[in-house]
Amino acid sequence: MKQVSKQRTKWLVVLFSLVYAIIYAHVAQAHVGSSGVIVQRQTGKYRLLISVQPPDVVPGTAKVTVFVEQGRVSQIGARPVYFGSGDEGSPTHDELVRVEASRYAGDLWLMESGSSSVQIDLNGPDGKATVVVPVVSVATALRTMPEGTGIGLALMGLLLVVMMITIIGASNADGLVAPGQPVPATLRRRRLVGMAVGAVVLALVLTGWRSWWTSTAEDYKNEQLYRPMPIRSSVNVVDAQRQLTIQMDTTGFAKDWGKRRMLSYIVPDHGKLMHTFMVRMPGLDAFAHLHPNRRDTMRYEAKLPVSLPGGRYLIYSDVVYRSGFTETLTDTVDLPALKISAEAAAAAKRSDPDDSWLVTEPMGVKTDAMNVPHLDNNMVVCGKPGASVKLEDGSTMLWTDKPGKVLETGKLYNLKFAVADPSGKAAPLEPYLGMGGHAAILRSDGTVYIHLHPVGTYSMAAEESLVSRIADTSRRFHYPNANRFRDSVDAYVAKLNSLPDAEKNRLLMASMPQMNHNMAINNMVEFPYAFPRAGHYRVWVQVKRKGRVLTGVFDTQVDDPLL
């Protein structure tokens, strides 16, 4: 009987989730248009490309796909592991189904909101291996029931109500009459009275159910539906240099659980507490990758490059919390033009030694233009169409295997870039913030943004947090003292910034060994990504050479495959 009860409970949860998914059908904007996680990893003898598409309604199913690019595997299992409950409180593995020779796929139920992960275990002739994929499991969709479904359900509900009223009336009278005998007038009145009472009771029940459903829907919108942490950005002139201030907006923190964040438990990713990208609109012709310093729990500051022109800028700030929860904080800011002397410009300082920026040509298209190819400098590299741009040190960056001027939405690409010195020879690259390179991709209207790494679209700090949580055997995570934690993190970041590049990169790479993604040729870097929407995109690729951060800029058009 217990087993039957468990099965019934499981199916009730599934049914409730499906009804919820039907009723909320409008997709909300979150994570700046780039949902899902892509992981490219070499673990043991296996080389894997993993895609996890989380549900937009929680509880819901995540779609997990594993491409085995190298290695012999006979079985792949996957399970969700939540930061709150850890390894001990998580379900057992579900086996992924082999769809093609090297592709495995399956659905996983994510029952809890917040920071979670998908743990993938591989077993085969080439041994066992485990990969942890960080996943932010939050509700990002608000849906409405399709009109046809609503009409059908309403008619069925009305039929059930009429049948129930009829049954109540009959049970109140007809049972007192012998079979085959006519129903007396008094009993007919009694039947009508029973039907009237039944109608009143059902009306009260339905009114109560309606009130409960409305309250549940409001709780979903106000508490469960994900909303990014709001920020207020401003620019002031301090000592003849513009300074960006990012202030966390904690308005309503005490009452609004959808906004509340544990700001003291932000952790460094690649040694930085915040990665901020500034892009000037509408031409996307000015770009800056900054790392604001934390002044207090809610305020971050960064000195802006003197060469950045004035105008309106989009701001995307990536942060990671101790739980592994990651989010991008967005805002716009008006940057005033600033005229200063050559001496003052030479004396201008950076807030962080790893800050970088570039001013280049605008995209050359209107932000709402569609289906207009505009990629310049087309060339053929190794028999494939490609694109090339000149870098500030005279070297050239090549998009080596660009399939064509127009890419397709939803298709997984390995975006590969190579750097050649002015003589045309391979230019060796140095680690930049512990990795071979970084990339930022932005749709022309700013509605799609992603910060990419060679190992995928996820945060290194998030994986580190979730891996350590899985290793913890406790059922509940206990946060350390907030002040001591924040102070220790600030001291760690300050120490890293004071180190020479070689030592800093050595420490960063040692702290995230699973992130190593060595290329066969050390002048190349690649990024796995699938463009989520059609439109015009600008891609900034950042590498480091001879101690200098270099940024290459590429434009591409992305169309839906059916167009």
Side-chain angles (χ1 to χ4, degrees), residues 59 77 132 144 160 199 207 268-269 411 506 511 519 522 554:
V132 175
T144 56
L160 290 174
T207 301
D269 193 18
K411 185 175 181 179
R506 181 180 60 81
S511 67
M519 299 293 295
N522 68 350
F554 300 88

Side-chain angles (χ1 to χ4, degrees), residues 159-216:
L159 177 62
L160 290 174
V161 169
V162 172
M163 292 175 61
M164 181 61 70
I165 292 174
T166 303
I167 291 171
I168 294 174
S171 64
N172 191 49
D174 293 2
L176 302 177
V177 179
Q181 296 296 320
V183 179
T186 56
L187 291 183
R188 285 199 296 269
R189 287 195 299 271
R190 182 168 179 170
R191 178 194 295 168
L192 293 175
V193 171
M195 292 173 65
V197 172
V200 171
V201 172
L202 284 176
L204 293 174
V205 170
L206 291 175
T207 301
W209 177 86
R210 173 71 177 179
S211 176
W212 169 82
W213 184 262
T214 301
S215 175
T216 302

Side-chain angles (χ1 to χ4, degrees), residues 92-208:
T92 58
H93 288 80
D94 290 336
E95 186 172 349
L96 300 185
V97 178
R98 187 171 186 171
V99 180
E100 296 174 355
S102 60
R103 181 165 69 96
Y104 294 76
D107 294 336
L108 289 182
W109 274 96
L110 296 181
M111 307 300 294
E112 298 180 14
S113 295
S115 179
S116 60
S117 62
V118 173
Q119 184 184 48
I120 297 174
D121 286 343
L122 299 95
N123 192 9
D126 286 330
K128 296 182 178 181
T130 299
V131 176
V132 175
V133 180
V135 176
V136 175
S137 173
V138 292
T140 60
L142 186 63
R143 302 183 173 180
T144 56
M145 183 179 294
E147 184 177 355
T149 304
I151 294 174
L153 291 177
L155 291 175
M156 287 190 291
L158 180 61
L159 177 62
L160 290 174
V161 169
V162 172
M163 292 175 61
M164 181 61 70
I165 292 174
T166 303
I167 291 171
I168 294 174
S171 64
N172 191 49
D174 293 2
L176 302 177
V177 179
Q181 296 296 320
V183 179
T186 56
L187 291 183
R188 285 199 296 269
R189 287 195 299 271
R190 182 168 179 170
R191 178 194 295 168
L192 293 175
V193 171
M195 292 173 65
V197 172
V200 171
V201 172
L202 284 176
L204 293 174
V205 170
L206 291 175
T207 301

Side-chain angles (χ1 to χ4, degrees), residues 520-542:
I521 305 175
N522 68 350
N523 75 317
M524 298 185 67
V525 64
E526 65 180 12
F527 307 92
Y529 187 59
F531 292 89
R533 294 175 56 200
H536 292 296
Y537 287 82
R538 174 154 281 192
V539 182
W540 291 270
V541 181
Q542 296 195 288

